[in-house]
Amino acid sequence: MRAEDLDAVIEVELTAQPAPWTRVIFERELDTEHSHIWVAPGTSPDDPAIAGFCVLWLVHDEAHVLNVAVHQDCRRRGLATALLAELLERAVEYELAFVTLEVRESNAAARALYGGMGFEEVGRRPKYYADTGEAAVLLTWFVPE
C-alpha cells in the first residue's frame, strides 16, 4: 500500500468491519517499519480500485495478521484467500516459524477460510473485542519444515 491508497483502503475497511480502523491507525501502520499492508485491486470495471487488503507485522520469525478485509461488493471471489496464500508463500520463503492472527469467535466465514488454509486454533482471548466484549479465537499456521 502507498499513502495515495489510503482513502480506497478506508472505504474497504468501512464496508468490511464491525469496528473499523480509523485513518490514524492506517497512517500509523504506514509509518511502522515492521508493518506491511498489501492491497488487492478490483477485478472488474465496476469494482473499487482496491477491493481488499491485508495488514501484517513481520517480527523476528513470525508474521502476525492484524486485519484482512474485502469490500462488501467484491466478496466470494477469492480475494482474501489470494492475499493469505501470498502471505503463507512468503512465510515459507522468509523461513518464518509461524503466522498468527485473532478472529472474532462469531465470524464463522473467516474461521472457515482460515481453517481451510491450515490455521489451527491455539487459544482464546476472552472479552477481546471492546465493541461487543466478544472473545477472540487465536489461530496459528505453522510453516512446514
PDB file of all heavy atoms in Angstrom, residues 1-8 30 50:
ATOM      1  N   MET A   1       0.839  -1.180   0.000  1.00  0.00           N
ATOM      2  CA  MET A   1       0.000   0.000   0.000  1.00  0.00           C
ATOM      3  C   MET A   1       0.879   1.236   0.000  1.00  0.00           C
ATOM      4  O   MET A   1       1.924   1.275   0.636  1.00  0.00           O
ATOM      5  CB  MET A   1      -0.897  -0.013   1.238  1.00  0.00           C
ATOM      6  CG  MET A   1      -1.783   1.201   1.358  1.00  0.00           C
ATOM      7  SD  MET A   1      -2.847   1.106   2.803  1.00  0.00           S
ATOM      8  CE  MET A   1      -2.803   2.792   3.339  1.00  0.00           C
ATOM      9  N   ARG A   2       0.418   2.237  -0.710  1.00  0.00           N
ATOM     10  CA  ARG A   2       1.078   3.539  -0.715  1.00  0.00           C
ATOM     11  C   ARG A   2       0.141   4.548  -0.048  1.00  0.00           C
ATOM     12  O   ARG A   2      -1.060   4.307   0.065  1.00  0.00           O
ATOM     13  CB  ARG A   2       1.380   3.951  -2.148  1.00  0.00           C
ATOM     14  CG  ARG A   2       2.294   2.974  -2.885  1.00  0.00           C
ATOM     15  CD  ARG A   2       2.531   3.395  -4.322  1.00  0.00           C
ATOM     16  NE  ARG A   2       1.314   3.835  -4.989  1.00  0.00           N
ATOM     17  CZ  ARG A   2       0.631   3.119  -5.885  1.00  0.00           C
ATOM     18  NH1 ARG A   2       1.036   1.918  -6.214  1.00  0.00           N
ATOM     19  NH2 ARG A   2      -0.451   3.603  -6.450  1.00  0.00           N
ATOM     20  N   ALA A   3       0.669   5.671   0.362  1.00  0.00           N
ATOM     21  CA  ALA A   3      -0.138   6.697   1.034  1.00  0.00           C
ATOM     22  C   ALA A   3      -1.329   7.122   0.183  1.00  0.00           C
ATOM     23  O   ALA A   3      -2.420   7.373   0.703  1.00  0.00           O
ATOM     24  CB  ALA A   3       0.739   7.897   1.389  1.00  0.00           C
ATOM     25  N   GLU A   4      -1.154   7.169  -1.139  1.00  0.00           N
ATOM     26  CA  GLU A   4      -2.257   7.592  -2.009  1.00  0.00           C
ATOM     27  C   GLU A   4      -3.388   6.553  -2.076  1.00  0.00           C
ATOM     28  O   GLU A   4      -4.469   6.846  -2.580  1.00  0.00           O
ATOM     29  CB  GLU A   4      -1.766   7.945  -3.414  1.00  0.00           C
ATOM     30  CG  GLU A   4      -0.995   6.865  -4.104  1.00  0.00           C
ATOM     31  CD  GLU A   4       0.519   6.983  -3.917  1.00  0.00           C
ATOM     32  OE1 GLU A   4       0.998   7.576  -2.940  1.00  0.00           O
ATOM     33  OE2 GLU A   4       1.234   6.441  -4.775  1.00  0.00           O
ATOM     34  N   ASP A   5      -3.156   5.348  -1.545  1.00  0.00           N
ATOM     35  CA  ASP A   5      -4.189   4.306  -1.496  1.00  0.00           C
ATOM     36  C   ASP A   5      -5.071   4.407  -0.249  1.00  0.00           C
ATOM     37  O   ASP A   5      -6.049   3.670  -0.118  1.00  0.00           O
ATOM     38  CB  ASP A   5      -3.549   2.910  -1.497  1.00  0.00           C
ATOM     39  CG  ASP A   5      -2.754   2.618  -2.743  1.00  0.00           C
ATOM     40  OD1 ASP A   5      -3.121   3.129  -3.818  1.00  0.00           O
ATOM     41  OD2 ASP A   5      -1.756   1.872  -2.638  1.00  0.00           O
ATOM     42  N   LEU A   6      -4.726   5.294   0.658  1.00  0.00           N
ATOM     43  CA  LEU A   6      -5.367   5.333   1.970  1.00  0.00           C
ATOM     44  C   LEU A   6      -6.884   5.488   1.893  1.00  0.00           C
ATOM     45  O   LEU A   6      -7.620   4.757   2.567  1.00  0.00           O
ATOM     46  CB  LEU A   6      -4.749   6.441   2.828  1.00  0.00           C
ATOM     47  CG  LEU A   6      -5.177   6.499   4.276  1.00  0.00           C
ATOM     48  CD1 LEU A   6      -4.948   5.183   4.983  1.00  0.00           C
ATOM     49  CD2 LEU A   6      -4.432   7.621   4.992  1.00  0.00           C
ATOM     50  N   ASP A   7      -7.392   6.413   1.091  1.00  0.00           N
ATOM     51  CA  ASP A   7      -8.840   6.609   1.008  1.00  0.00           C
ATOM     52  C   ASP A   7      -9.545   5.345   0.525  1.00  0.00           C
ATOM     53  O   ASP A   7     -10.599   4.959   1.052  1.00  0.00           O
ATOM     54  CB  ASP A   7      -9.195   7.782   0.088  1.00  0.00           C
ATOM     55  CG  ASP A   7      -8.845   9.125   0.694  1.00  0.00           C
ATOM     56  OD1 ASP A   7      -8.723   9.227   1.940  1.00  0.00           O
ATOM     57  OD2 ASP A   7      -8.691  10.095  -0.080  1.00  0.00           O
ATOM     58  N   ALA A   8      -8.972   4.672  -0.469  1.00  0.00           N
ATOM     59  CA  ALA A   8      -9.576   3.448  -1.005  1.00  0.00           C
ATOM     60  C   ALA A   8      -9.547   2.321   0.025  1.00  0.00           C
ATOM     61  O   ALA A   8     -10.513   1.557   0.148  1.00  0.00           O
ATOM     62  CB  ALA A   8      -8.866   3.030  -2.282  1.00  0.00           C
ATOM     63  N   LEU A  30       1.357   2.690   8.184  1.00  0.00           N
ATOM     64  CA  LEU A  30       2.219   3.072   7.060  1.00  0.00           C
ATOM     65  C   LEU A  30       3.596   3.545   7.519  1.00  0.00           C
ATOM     66  O   LEU A  30       4.577   3.383   6.801  1.00  0.00           O
ATOM     67  CB  LEU A  30       1.553   4.176   6.229  1.00  0.00           C
ATOM     68  CG  LEU A  30       0.505   3.734   5.233  1.00  0.00           C
ATOM     69  CD1 LEU A  30      -0.202   4.942   4.637  1.00  0.00           C
ATOM     70  CD2 LEU A  30       1.118   2.874   4.131  1.00  0.00           C
ATOM     71  N   ILE A  50      -9.330  -0.542  -5.150  1.00  0.00           N
ATOM     72  CA  ILE A  50      -8.791  -1.512  -4.202  1.00  0.00           C
ATOM     73  C   ILE A  50      -9.977  -2.280  -3.634  1.00  0.00           C
ATOM     74  O   ILE A  50     -10.883  -1.701  -3.044  1.00  0.00           O
ATOM     75  CB  ILE A  50      -7.968  -0.831  -3.104  1.00  0.00           C
ATOM     76  CG1 ILE A  50      -6.705  -0.249  -3.734  1.00  0.00           C
ATOM     77  CG2 ILE A  50      -7.628  -1.811  -1.978  1.00  0.00           C
ATOM     78  CD1 ILE A  50      -5.837   0.547  -2.796  1.00  0.00           C
TER      79      ILE A  50
END
